Amino acid sequence: MSTKKINLLDEDIYKLFIKIALPASIGTIFNNLYSLVDTIFAGRMISETALAAIGQTFPVYFIIIALGIGLSIATTSNVANSLGEKNIQKATHAFSQSFVVTILVGLVITIIGLYFGKIILESINDDPETLKLSSLYMNVIYLGSIIILLLMVCNSCLSAQGDTISYRNVLIFSFFLNIILNPILITGKIINFELFEPMGITGIAIATILSQIIGLLYLLYKISKTEIFENFKNNYLIPKLSLIKEISFQAIPAALGLMMIALGSYILLFFVSRFGNDAIAGFSSAGRYEQLLFLPLLGLSTAVTAIVGQNFGAKNYERILETYNKAMITGVIILTIAGLILFITAEDSMRLFTDDAEVIYYGSVYLKIYALGFPAFPFFFISNASFQGLKKAIIVMYMAILRFVLVPIVVILFVNNFIEENYIYMFLGLTLVHWIIGVLYYFYSSNKIRKIKSSYTTP
């Protein structure tokens, strides 16, 4: 029996934002609370070094996430477009091929990560104890990377059909499971009863993979109740070059674009590390809290990609432009409110992670400065989501290279060499340029979407 379907082609767009974006946002909030809990347990139950170690893993961990999101975007786009064309067999075949490709990508990540991951971590910060802890954490993540990627791709299949509730349920469950598992696996105890040798930071990573396994089984069950599964055939799992090329055409630019975020984080951590371990711990912990507040925008972006994708397949081009404009208005309002919250709660939020005054200082300063740039985030997120639904992921990749790699290098080098090597000045410069590029990207995207609309509607 199929799950209840959401009509992405005809329902009111604002109502669709609520139906799709709200569950996605709630789920993503719990996903980031999950990461937040990991960081808190590392700082409170292990050490300040463990806190810095988890922060140091972000660029490497995000490469895995980037590949998963790239595959997810390709799956959402292809499945949504096929559903918009009313071609269920094609949608099922596309998802099946994505599933196979994801397993292969996961195997490659595991092999490369176990052999070369430590070298990348060492290039960020070669402090022996920090490096040891971050390597222990990431080795478990590498081994579980197939599970992480499959969970994301299965979610994208459901999202393309308008179902973001299932993944929300997974993330809420994982959050509470994480709170239970982390202290047990870190200490090896339940209350005062010793079960096994303490695992420390390795236990945090194992808790992550265990919750992902449970989540994957649940999403596979939910997919089994949809028309995608009802039309499944065993031969759909045999690699088909044309479909793999189509998936790759969407996944590779999207993944490379997101990898630029990892590279950008690496660049920022490299410069932040010049101010010491306290700066790394403060900056990375603050980033976890910051991400929590722009999560509603991620939920909105999920809705935009699905709506635009299905309407593009159905050749309903006017609705695509309407979706973009309404999402942009909604996003700016939400992120303005989130920026105010971030600014006001900067110091208090940092005290969740640590009592160290220096760590709190570096983290709260970063949060207050970046709060000023929050209203500009929709210019990037909504535009990117629209291009992904339109199968124009290459544009997103180019923007990511500019925004996360080229601009930070130029801005930071300019500030350090011509003004002063100063933690505050560095982030003030980045925030200013973030606004400038965001506004320019909005005008470019709006014009580009109108041109795409005209090119398909002109006789």
Side-chain angles (χ1 to χ4, degrees):
M1 183 177 177
S2 299
T3 56
K4 184 179 179 181
K5 292 175 63 177
I6 295 176
N7 188 343
L8 303 184
L9 303 177
D10 299 308
E11 286 190 47
D12 178 77
I13 289 172
Y14 283 122
K15 287 182 180 178
L16 286 174
F17 288 163
I18 295 172
K19 287 183 179 181
I20 302 174
L22 188 58
S25 299
I26 293 171
T28 315
I29 285 170
F30 275 92
N31 188 41
N32 275 260
L33 282 173
Y34 183 105
S35 300
L36 207 61
V37 166
D38 282 352
T39 309
I40 291 169
F41 275 114
R44 292 289 182 180
M45 294 192 71
I46 305 177
S47 65
E48 300 295 336
T49 305
L51 185 64
I54 284 193
Q56 181 173 301
T57 65
F58 177 77
V60 183
Y61 197 168
F62 197 80
I63 289 174
I64 299 173
I65 301 302
L67 288 167
I69 293 175
L71 289 164
S72 297
I73 287 169
T75 304
T76 301
S77 177
N78 288 326
V79 171
N81 273 240
S82 299
L83 292 174
E85 295 169 358
K86 308 297 184 185
N87 191 337
I88 307 301
Q89 292 288 348
K90 184 179 177 183
T92 303
H93 203 172
F95 170 65
S96 302
Q97 292 291 293
S98 291
F99 198 89
V100 172
V101 170
T102 299
I103 292 173
L104 296 175
V105 171
L107 286 171
V108 172
I109 290 173
T110 300
I111 295 168
I112 293 176
L114 291 175
Y115 279 96
F116 301 105
K118 187 175 179 180
I119 297 171
I120 302 171
L121 291 169
E122 190 173 13
S123 68
I124 297 172
N125 179 17
D126 60 1
D127 175 71
E129 186 60 26
T130 308
L131 180 61
K132 176 186 174 183
L133 292 176
S134 58
S135 296
L136 286 171
Y137 177 82
M138 283 306 301
N139 283 343
V140 177
I141 299 300
Y142 296 139
L143 290 169
S145 58
I146 292 176
I147 304 298
I148 295 170
L149 297 182
L150 284 176
L151 182 70
M152 297 170 73
V153 167
C154 286
N155 170 52
S156 69
C157 175
L158 292 168
S159 294
Q161 301 172 76
D163 176 11
T164 55
I165 293 175
S166 296
Y167 193 52
R168 177 205 66 186
N169 295 342
V170 167
L171 295 174
I172 292 173
F173 172 80
S174 297
F175 167 71
F176 288 107
L177 181 63
N178 200 38
I179 291 175
I180 296 169
L181 288 179
N182 266 340
I184 295 173
L185 296 176
I186 289 170
T187 64
K189 298 178 181 178
I190 293 180
I191 308 177
N192 291 319
F193 184 72
E194 187 169 338
L195 299 174
F196 44 78
E197 285 293 316
M199 294 185 180
I201 200 167
T202 302
I204 295 176
I206 291 174
T208 295
I209 301 304
L210 286 175
S211 64
Q212 300 271 307
I213 291 171
I214 295 171
L216 175 59
L217 293 174
Y218 175 73
L219 291 190
L220 286 171
Y221 166 75
K222 296 298 290 186
I223 290 172
S224 73
K225 301 297 180 182
T226 68
E227 58 188 356
I228 294 289
F229 182 80
E230 290 170 1
N231 288 273
F232 173 75
K233 297 177 182 177
N234 289 331
N235 64 352
Y236 284 176
L237 294 174
I238 299 172
K240 185 176 180 181
L241 188 58
S242 61
L243 276 175
I244 290 176
K245 283 173 115 178
E246 192 170 354
I247 292 166
S248 300
F249 182 76
Q250 293 296 308
I252 291 174
L256 286 174
L258 286 160
M259 282 181 191
M260 295 304 105
I261 299 177
L263 182 56
S265 297
Y266 174 88
I267 292 167
L268 285 178
L269 276 170
F270 174 80
F271 285 103
V272 168
S273 68
R274 298 167 77 164
F275 299 94
N277 256 6
D278 287 338
I280 293 175
F283 167 70
S284 58
S285 302
R288 303 271 178 150
Y289 177 64
E290 172 200 28
Q291 290 167 15
L292 188 64
L293 289 176
F294 69 69
L295 293 180
L297 185 59
L298 293 180
L300 185 61
S301 299
T302 299
V304 169
T305 300
I307 297 168
V308 169
Q310 281 209 23
N311 281 277
F312 187 55
K315 306 186 188 319
N316 194 351
Y317 306 115
E318 189 64 45
R319 189 169 166 85
I320 293 171
L321 187 58
E322 182 186 359
T323 300
Y324 176 77
N325 290 330
K326 288 183 176 179
M328 192 63 70
I329 293 168
T330 305
V332 170
I333 292 170
I334 292 172
L335 268 292
T336 299
I337 296 170
L340 285 170
I341 294 171
L342 186 68
F343 189 91
I344 293 167
T345 61
E347 285 92 353
D348 290 335
S349 65
M350 287 305 302
R351 291 190 182 94
L352 291 171
F353 304 101
T354 180
D355 294 322
D356 188 288
E358 282 296 301
V359 175
I360 291 171
Y361 166 76
Y362 282 111
S364 60
V365 164
Y366 166 78
L367 289 174
K368 286 184 176 180
I369 293 171
Y370 257 50
L372 303 176
F374 255 50
F377 275 114
F379 300 148
F380 300 102
F381 280 75
I382 302 303
S383 298
N384 288 347
S386 299
F387 287 134
Q388 286 156 359
L390 293 167
K391 294 189 173 183
K392 301 289 182 182
I394 193 73
I395 297 175
V396 180
M397 183 188 75
Y398 289 144
M399 172 48 62
I401 294 171
L402 175 66
R403 182 182 167 208
F404 294 110
V405 179
L406 299 180
V407 167
I409 291 174
V410 171
V411 171
I412 293 172
L413 288 177
F414 177 82
V415 170
N416 288 350
N417 289 299
F418 294 98
I419 301 177
E420 182 183 340
E421 189 173 6
N422 183 286
Y423 185 86
I424 294 175
Y425 291 166
M426 180 171 69
F427 287 113
L428 282 173
L430 288 171
T431 302
L432 175 62
V433 176
H434 167 78
W435 264 105
I436 294 170
I437 295 176
V439 171
L440 292 174
Y441 190 44
Y442 165 72
F443 284 114
Y444 167 81
S445 302
S446 183
N447 185 54
K448 183 73 174 176
I449 292 169
R450 284 188 174 87
K451 284 184 177 178
I452 291 172
K453 170 181 169 289
S454 299
S455 67
Y456 283 105
T457 54
T458 301

